[in-house]
Amino acid sequence: MAESKPGLRKPVFTKVEQLRPGTSGHTLTVKVVSAKMVLQKGRADGPQVRQMRIAECLVGDETGMIIFTARNDQVDLVKEGTTVILRNAKIDMFKGSMRLAVDKWGRVEVAEPADFTVKEDNNLSLIEYELVNVVEE
């Protein structure tokens, strides 16, 4: 029997609508609504050609949708219609709107098909955030 290590807690799953700018450490189960390649370039500056691939995917759950930026190997996992678990995801800001990303500290896993319907009329990446400095009078 595996002993549970202290500090490893069962991840709390976040819903898309709970995502906020500047937050990280999210674990979400989302469905991929659409995925499009935005960048694909090979760097042939060494013995092995390093392929840099970025895809923008619209992912969501029953509370809303957000754009997930998939990089390199992640691109192969986020196929349209697939359900994925994003572990330790973080929010990146891009031109004032939120993007979900998983860096080297997190991972993307293909999951069993989820039985929810994505709420497509609540796209968090369409909300623009402004950095506002609050001045105390």
Side-chain angles (χ1 to χ4, degrees):
M1 199 175 109
E3 288 195 16
S4 60
K5 293 192 183 75
L8 276 181
R9 7 175 250 287
K10 209 170 158 40
V12 176
F13 282 80
T14 305
K15 291 291 178 202
V16 170
E17 69 175 2
Q18 299 170 319
L19 298 170
R20 297 290 178 266
T23 56
S24 61
H26 300 296
T27 297
L28 309 98
T29 301
V30 291
K31 256 185 206 166
V32 181
V33 178
S34 65
K36 66 170 196 291
M37 191 67 87
V38 288
L39 178 75
Q40 181 156 14
K41 59 174 192 246
R43 291 220 307 266
D45 54 2
Q48 72 276 27
V49 178
R50 292 234 343 244
Q51 205 70 22
M52 166 93 176
R53 294 182 300 156
I54 293 181
E56 284 196 345
C57 316
L58 206 45
V59 300
D61 61 17
E62 70 276 19
T63 68
M65 304 193 300
I66 190 165
I67 292 175
F68 169 64
T69 308
R71 292 180 171 81
N72 303 327
D73 298 347
Q74 298 171 357
V75 173
D76 303 321
L77 303 173
V78 287
K79 301 268 181 275
E80 218 162 291
T82 309
T83 299
V84 291
I85 297 177
L86 306 177
R87 295 197 187 272
N88 205 10
K90 64 182 200 310
I91 295 291
D92 280 335
M93 297 306 285
F94 176 75
K95 294 183 179 161
S97 68
M98 294 196 296
R99 296 276 194 278
L100 203 50
V102 172
D103 60 16
K104 63 176 188 287
W105 307 111
R107 59 178 199 262
V108 178
E109 300 165 11
V110 175
E112 293 292 307
D115 54 6
F116 54 72
T117 304
V118 175
K119 184 170 167 40
E120 300 200 13
D121 57 0
N122 182 21
N123 184 344
L124 298 188
S125 289
L126 294 178
I127 303 168
E128 282 213 13
Y129 288 87
E130 264 183 73
L131 289 177
V132 179
N133 292 324
V134 178
V135 179
E136 294 290 328
E137 290 295 328

